[in-house]
Amino acid sequence: MPLIVLIAALVALRFFEVWRFANLSWWWIVGLMVFAFIWFEYIEKLLGWDKKKAHDEDDRRRKARVNKTFDKRK
């Protein structure tokens, strides 16, 4: 996610020609976009981080449901 925020900030700074970013080549930004695409589509799946995030989310929801159920009984 920080990579996406960085890309969005660079695009805005380059588009509005702010400070030194006015001279920044669009190719650097496009390169970061390609890197982000490759990261999120291939590398993250290869490392299994996408499934880990899904399992962590399921565990969080399960714990919240259990806590909600037992809190009603009190």
Side-chain angles (χ1 to χ4, degrees):
M1 186 66 182
L3 184 60
I4 303 300
V5 172
L6 174 67
I7 291 170
L10 284 175
V11 166
L13 290 170
R14 175 62 177 101
F15 181 75
F16 292 113
E17 298 181 353
V18 176
W19 194 45
R20 295 184 184 196
F21 299 100
N23 297 328
L24 181 66
S25 173
W26 282 106
W27 288 109
W28 285 103
I29 298 170
V30 170
L32 276 176
M33 290 178 183
V34 169
F35 175 75
F37 175 78
I38 291 171
W39 177 264
F40 290 115
E41 288 297 319
Y42 300 109
I43 297 173
E44 194 174 64
K45 290 178 184 175
L46 181 69
L47 297 174
W49 290 353
D50 58 335
K51 298 295 181 186
K52 183 179 182 319
K53 289 178 187 175
H55 289 298
D56 290 344
E57 180 70 20
D58 289 340
D59 286 341
R60 186 186 59 77
R61 278 188 271 152
R62 183 186 58 82
K63 287 178 184 177
R65 188 175 62 240
V66 168
N67 288 337
K68 183 179 175 183
T69 300
F70 286 119
D71 286 340
K72 285 183 178 179
R73 291 183 179 180
K74 289 182 180 181

